Amino acid sequence: MTAQGKLKVGVLGATGTVGQRFILQLSNHPEFELAVLGASASSAGRPYKEAVAGRWKQVHPIPDNVRDMPVTACEAENFKECTVVFSGLDSTPAGPIEAAFRAANLRVFSNAKNYRRDPLCPLVVPLVNPSHFDIIPHQQASMSPPLKQGYIITNANCSTTGVVVPLKALEDAFGPLDTVMVHTMQAISGSGYPGVSSMDILDNVVPYISGEEEKVEWETCKILGGLTDDKKAFDLHAASPLTVSAHCNRVPVIDGHLACISVRFAKQPAPSPEQVNEALRKYRCEAQELGCHSAPAQAITIHDEPDRPQPRLDREWQNGAGVNVGRVREDPVLDIKFISLVNNVMLGAATSSVLNAEIALKKGYLS
Amino acid sequence: MTAQGKLKVGVLGATGTVGQRFILQLSNHPEFELAVLGASASSAGRPYKEAVAGRWKQVHPIPDNVRDMPVTACEAENFKECTVVFSGLDSTPAGPIEAAFRAANLRVFSNAKNYRRDPLCPLVVPLVNPSHFDIIPHQQASMSPPLKQGYIITNANCSTTGVVVPLKALEDAFGPLDTVMVHTMQAISGSGYPGVSSMDILDNVVPYISGEEEKVEWETCKILGGLTDDKKAFDLHAASPLTVSAHCNRVPVIDGHLACISVRFAKQPAPSPEQVNEALRKYRCEAQELGCHSAPAQAITIHDEPDRPQPRLDREWQNGAGVNVGRVREDPVLDIKFISLVNNVMLGAATSSVLNAEIALKKGYLS
Amino acid sequence: MTAQGKLKVGVLGATGTVGQRFILQLSNHPEFELAVLGASASSAGRPYKEAVAGRWKQVHPIPDNVRDMPVTACEAENFKECTVVFSGLDSTPAGPIEAAFRAANLRVFSNAKNYRRDPLCPLVVPLVNPSHFDIIPHQQASMSPPLKQGYIITNANCSTTGVVVPLKALEDAFGPLDTVMVHTMQAISGSGYPGVSSMDILDNVVPYISGEEEKVEWETCKILGGLTDDKKAFDLHAASPLTVSAHCNRVPVIDGHLACISVRFAKQPAPSPEQVNEALRKYRCEAQELGCHSAPAQAITIHDEPDRPQPRLDREWQNGAGVNVGRVREDPVLDIKFISLVNNVMLGAATSSVLNAEIALKKGYLS
Amino acid sequence: MTAQGKLKVGVLGATGTVGQRFILQLSNHPEFELAVLGASASSAGRPYKEAVAGRWKQVHPIPDNVRDMPVTACEAENFKECTVVFSGLDSTPAGPIEAAFRAANLRVFSNAKNYRRDPLCPLVVPLVNPSHFDIIPHQQASMSPPLKQGYIITNANCSTTGVVVPLKALEDAFGPLDTVMVHTMQAISGSGYPGVSSMDILDNVVPYISGEEEKVEWETCKILGGLTDDKKAFDLHAASPLTVSAHCNRVPVIDGHLACISVRFAKQPAPSPEQVNEALRKYRCEAQELGCHSAPAQAITIHDEPDRPQPRLDREWQNGAGVNVGRVREDPVLDIKFISLVNNVMLGAATSSVLNAEIALKKGYLS
């Protein structure tokens, strides 16, 4: 803990796109103090501003208190004083590094995809299922040797995040969903930097994102499902089977994933559009009840104009920490259809990890 | 008929976006001779190049044989020598003008929406349902006084067009469809000029196009349905009810409407993705069999790459007269899902009207 | 004055693009209280949120304290309690309305172009020439009848603004300029809403903006020139003639005008790029010295990376109140060339008007 | 020579962006027969369609007669039957490979930058300076051992090309130029594939292209200058020194480089804008006089509309083989200013190489 009573935290992959977002979120956080920046071995020992030169692509400059921080290699030894380690690593290095950090009794909050499907690792969208933290003791006990502190928490794929928040609100209000059809129009920032070639996306749509549809279809069930009673496994929405179909597309938008969603409820008759709007507007999540610093005031903002939400106009609302919904109406095939917008680089990435750590703090999982 | 044996044709709304496309299609046509250009009264009497000054927004220059043609008012008297009149009018003037032209015994092939839902007017996508021309005698007989020559044929909304071509191929091969879910990502040119403000669409998606979803849902049933046995009405797919749900979005693409489509077949078990690909690839339509000039060699082009078709790369293929399909795969909710691309300013607009007229010629409806 | 000791201010053209920016700037200002919102007669009497419905195109929502404010007609009587009236009017209504407001002894700070070339009206870029306020007594005395309070202050065209700030810094450091060549690449927001059609600008550059080149060429001389000794006229840089040539282009960028600038100094030998960088970095303006609320901490930010400033990454820096400069280097033809970026909707528009009013307050021109 | 009397030609770098353009230009050429496709060793032996899979980014499909052609390694032995070898190689491999091909007595027409500044290699824009071919005998004689057939001809950087065509027309009509200022707005395709990241260019301008300004400034003098009397050296515009200053920018445009150009003539008084327009419109080049297949009917197309040429609307005119000019007007600083547009992937790249070879054929340099 620092002199100001803050908890020291570190960032893995600090020079990458997600790492840059972690730095902006954490450089002036009331509870966390950015203490260690990890990057590739080639950057180690250099000041951050040099390590990231030519790759800092944020609309805010590098925070003054970070510019000259030294970058270190992603080795657990260097992060031992960190209460939390945030991982913005690419998937190739993320697997072994995050495992090694956990084995060194470090708490890893990861944006990487590697452990999302792990049967011991929570996949937590902070506005939806922090209850999954309760598997942590079992995750720790299952390691060899068993761990006292270390664990891995993942957050969801950016496009899944914008889908599950309104779905959770609907399940809370109207019981389990039976069927979900999702059609995404995803921003280029979801692919990192340099990511999508301008030759591929200017005046164009790419109707394919490798592996994305499977992620949305699978992650939705893990997130919306609960834990088994013994808190040793995820039930994957088993009690009431949920079928999800996703079409994923890349569109020429900087930030903000838009999804067209159609749902059918298990319990009939289904609610009316007015009832759905009301339920979404009233939805409150545990992160709000706990008073977490990064939680949005309004989890789901309902837009009344027929052409909203739109990525460019609505993605920055509440600092990108909430979800925007509009056009709730009847679906001729399923029951209800609507539009959902999530800021993929905020709630869809770094904000989720940070908010998960804030929740973990409030719930006693950082002590 | 001209000295070269061509039929004289006219264009209504010649200075507008659709009218410009008609001019490009017709300025060098083997069967039709562009003889009369109609526009608003304020343009009447001026050479075309002046009437359209500042509004010609095509990548090809005004054809040399059109630049100095005089523009005339949209009055039937001025078009009396035209075997066919193509209408690119906006919907406000289209209603009364097209009715007046029909009453003057002129044959109107219209891209406007006004008569698409008319119980006497065919709504014809030339690659799908030219059989609907057979209602023409009844349309003529129903006028007061009955007409010998005049009639109105409409073509479909641009987004509907890209949807019904593959659906028709599927129904031909596997029997009626039961359910269709469509998500469109539509080009800005679909809204004409000036149309969509750049402030609304740059770095953005607008998840709403006024009236568009209803058009796709309704027009699909009219087009895929047949005529009643007496050829006096459209059956609207009545024998085997078809439910359609559409989400329509505007994206920053110049030309080319992309649709994500999921379908369920009435007859189970449903075909496999391989069978669907085969059926789409083999699909041939009447316009092809009749040898129509503007018909594409391949009605539906199947793309094998996982990320195709794409608007920018595939919209010009076959001069935009066919439909492009890709990513045929199983749908976890319905049976099959795939991507469809139509060039909204070609097959989705002027090409459909011109091809409808070519079919009408071959089938004897212009004599 | 309000209970909180703030000065009441009004906004003309409150529902337009510039008016919306004024509202965002003024809704939480330490010295000014937004008291009256003026718009067209058709909006008068309605709450602001309704009057602006469908046209509010900001990334921030309408401020809570403005949503329900009533809109009133742009008549001086309605604004009589306002110490300052900001005008975001279009040029057509701006001429007579602003004159009428001045005649009613109101102080008008206008973003409209109408009085920029007026020989009695200051054209003030707040980071450059607030000394021109000294013509106000002469402007008031020249009215019939002479005015005690009323006057009109204009701010510059958005593209001129980004040019004159660094030029002023250079003249302060190295004496008069002799020649300036400017090439602009201007954002679409400079044209308001709906403004530029997406069909004109997507995948395109429009190498022409009506009247813009003349504005840059003329306004630069008025702004960089001083007042005559009797403070009754603008000298238009007469003592040392300055020749300006501008090429103006519209590019597909939302906000942020970029200019490539080449200059020749009257005094030779010219300074080196290093000296120019130093002079630009050190430049401080009167708005800073006076401690104005909206003044940027750094008037001109120098970027060291070779590819900066860029509109998307740098336009929000300092809330868009400063100018960004990069790539200072020798010019083979003139002396020095560099890049300048201004946020056209902030310093290039509403921020200039507000900052001018803040300066006027500090200098005693609001009492 | 083939059975049809065509000359066999090869393409180096056939799977790259420029190579793909060569293939489209040559797959149906009346004089040249595409016989050998060279690419990296890893592609050698595979059919072209497989070697280029995932990288073919043209709006036309791979030509049918090329899809199954085998790709071979870029070794001179494999190209020995080729009368001409076109090089679309990247600069890293281009240096040694092109030298080796020349040494093997092959004629190389290269789009790479490596030999543009070579004192023995012509830098030929086909609409401007095919007279530079006359240095070929000296280039061949200077090799060790001297060559009978082999030589290297380069074409210019894409942005230089659009500049020198109108400048050449002006020098032909009004004598040498003294000063040229150029400001480019260059398309993303100029950077190849994947090239510019979409994160860098969407809603943005990048005011820097590495090395580009130097190329425009230097190449212009080599191209506009003549050969020395002995035809053994380039005079680089020495008789009448020409100073060029360039600002180069990347804009979000797919194809088409736009340049704002200001010029001063050595001979005063300078011509009027009308005289300049007339001279540009009348300009004819040797490629036209020789009747070359790929030469444009009109070398320079003058646009009368004040906002043209524009990249999206005018780049395809004459298949991108000519230059488009507009807005010719007086310049307050130099004499005349105007806008120039070149299709960077056509005349600015592959079309130049092909047209250079066509000229060489007509002038006897291929025998």
Side-chain angles (χ1 to χ4, degrees), chain A residues 125-127 161 165 320-323 342-352 355:
Chain A
V125 172
L127 309 189
T161 302
V165 175
V323 169
V342 68
N343 185 319
N344 60 300
V345 295
M346 302 301 285
L347 186 63
T351 301
S352 267
L355 198 41

Side-chain angles (χ1 to χ4, degrees), chain A residues 10 21 27-28 54 67 75 81 113 124 142 151 156 184 352:
Chain A
R21 291 283 174 170
S27 69
N28 189 26
R67 288 180 60 81
E75 293 162 13
E81 58 181 347
K113 70 179 179 189
V124 180
S142 303
Y151 56 78
T184 69
S352 267

Side-chain angles (χ1 to χ4, degrees), chain B residues 17 57 188-190 192-203 251-255 312 315, chain C residues 17 57 188-190 192-203 251-255 312 315:
Chain B
T17 303
K57 299 286 175 180
I188 54 173
S189 58
Y193 182 82
V196 181
S197 165
S198 58
M199 291 295 292
D200 280 331
I201 203 67
L202 198 60
D203 181 23
V251 293
V253 165
I254 302 278
D255 293 325
R312 190 173 77 80
R315 65 195 172 201
Chain C
T17 303
K57 298 287 176 180
I188 55 173
S189 57
Y193 182 84
V196 181
S197 164
S198 58
M199 291 296 292
D200 280 330
I201 203 66
L202 197 62
D203 181 20
V251 293
V253 166
I254 302 276
D255 293 324
R312 191 173 76 80
R315 63 194 172 200

